[in-house]
Every structure is written in structure tokens, then in C-alpha cells.
Amino acid sequence: MGFSAETLLGWVFPFQRQSYVPRDAILYALGLGLGRDPLDAADLGFLLEDRLKVLPTFGVTLATLGMWVKEPALGIDWVRLVHSAQAATFHAPLPAAADVTAEARIVSVQDRGEGKGAVVVLQRVIRDARTGAPYCTLRQTLLLRGNGGFGGPPATRDETPPVPARAPDVTIDVQTSPRAALIYRLSGDWNPLHADPAVAARAGFERPILHGLASYGIAGRAVLSAFCRDDPAGLRHLAMRFSGIVIPGDTLNFRLWRQGQDIHFNARIGDRLVLDQGFAQLNQEETKS
């Protein structure tokens, strides 16, 4: 079936519920590369069940919608789909184990034009299944590279203030593992683009690429380390645009600037910008000066 923005905007996602245990949160942290140094006490706080803290960005893996983009009725060219941006607001720290639900809806569908793709924003709210209290609100931006030119409203771009015109306050290098995507997918993102070389080739890549949400989680870990004393309660909001491809094994160079409780950041691989318009907000009572 052909692509229809109206069908997509009216799509009703099935109710999602998930129970997770400490093992799931630990596996997620391993997928981001924590534990490279087995003597790093800060990383071990997210890896050992007897003292377990949960990374806030673990929320992006919870009560997910699966490969909904493959639904024939939507007409999405899912092989050419790219996750272009991600944002989350964290309302409360995730416990080590919980039963959660998700409410999902399509927020907008915009047209970049024939041959340029469509931009879709999906919102998902993760709540505690028992109390209904929200843990996080997620906004995922997808670029449907094969579905532009349908005559919808033109795409707009959310503008984040530029990074300060000075040297960064903190720089952090993160070496990813060649196995990073194969580990990260075990947290629920089964898109073969990140594991199967044949599918990656069909999408125009020489080899499987790292999940955008893995880079997102790595960035969140960098902010926690630099400004939050490794306390998950210190992070209120995290957003960024995926501006370049990350291959498992690449080293991400983060540059971070602090202005009060606002953090601006980006990340490069060599001279190539791969994470852009990075923005985080901190919870004031939980952060250090």
C-alpha cells in the first residue's frame, strides 16, 4: 500500500506493558560500553545488582513498539528509515525493577519533498503500571528517506541555541566496542540494519551501523559523569540530533559546555560531526557547580 500521512497520524498503537529486572538495566549499560575498566567504581554502580542505579536513558528501551514501521498499511519504506533525533524528559529516576506501560502517538508528519523524505515525530510516555506516575516522556524523530513528496506540510527544524563561543568546559572520549550494536540490540531494538551486513548494504551502508539510541545513551552517560556525580536524579532532559553515522568501534569525542543548569554538547569522530544540537537540563538540587 502507498504511504499516507493521514493513516499514520491516526494510527492507534497497541497497549504496551513490560516488566524489567536488574539484569535488563545492567545489559543496557553494557550495551553502552560501561565496564571497560573493571575497577571503575562509577561504572560499577550501574552494573552490580547490590548497588544498582539505573541509567535514565534506559527508559528509551521500555515498552517499545517493535518494528511497527513494517506494518504494510502504513506504506513506509522501512529499510531506508533513519532515526534522526531523540529527546526525553525524565520525571523520576527508574527503579532497579518495575512494571511499566507506554502510551504512544504520532505527533506530526512533515514533507521534505520528493526524493528528500518525510519527517515523523513519535511520542511515548513511560509510566509505572501500578501508580500511573510517569518516569519519562520520549520524543523520537524519524526520517523516512523513501516517503517524501506526498504533499504534506513542509518540514520545520527545531533550533537549539548554538554552543557557546568558547572552549568547552569538559571533553570526554568514549571508545565504542566493535560488538556494541550486537550487544545493544539485546535491549530490544532488533532492526537488522544494526546487525545484518546484507540489510545494511541495502540501506546504503558498507557495514552495520550503531543504533542512534546507543549513541544517545552514551551521551547521557557522559553528562551524568561530567555534571551529575553519576546520580541519575541529576538529569532532567536530554536531546540531540544524529547528524552522522557511528560504526561500532568508533571513538566519540564529546565536547560539553555548561551554562547554569543547561548543558550544550556535540560529538565528533575525528573531524566528522556525528551528534549535533545536543542539549541537556539538570535538576539543580542534584548537581554540582
Side-chain angles (χ1 to χ4, degrees), residues 20 47 62 70 85 88 101 105 115 120 141 157 169 191 200 206 219 224 247 288:
Y20 71 86
L47 296 171
L62 298 177
K70 296 175 71 173
T101 63
R105 66 184 181 93
V120 174
T141 302
R157 182 171 173 177
D169 297 303
N191 188 336
E206 293 183 358
L224 287 182
I247 301 297
K288 61 185 178 181

Side-chain angles (χ1 to χ4, degrees), residues 1-6 8 73-77 109 118 120 144 147-148 150:
M1 297 181 65
F3 177 77
S4 167
E6 290 76 17
L8 190 53
L74 295 176
I76 294 173
D77 183 356
V109 182
V120 174
L144 313 186
N147 295 109
F150 58 89

Side-chain angles (χ1 to χ4, degrees), residues 87-167:
T89 298
F90 306 104
H91 307 293
L94 289 162
D99 190 9
V100 298
T101 63
E103 305 163 7
R105 66 184 181 93
I106 300 296
V107 175
S108 64
V109 182
Q110 298 177 328
D111 190 359
R112 296 181 66 189
E114 185 68 34
K116 298 180 180 179
V119 179
V120 174
V121 176
L122 169 69
Q123 177 176 288
R124 195 163 92 252
V125 181
I126 308 300
R127 299 181 182 274
D128 186 273
R130 182 178 61 85
T131 68
Y135 285 120
C136 54
T137 298
L138 313 173
R139 287 177 69 91
Q140 181 183 42
T141 302
L142 304 174
L143 174 58
L144 313 186
R145 294 187 295 162
N147 295 109
F150 58 89
T156 59
R157 182 171 173 177
D158 294 332
E159 293 295 338
T160 301
V163 299
R166 56 179 171 82

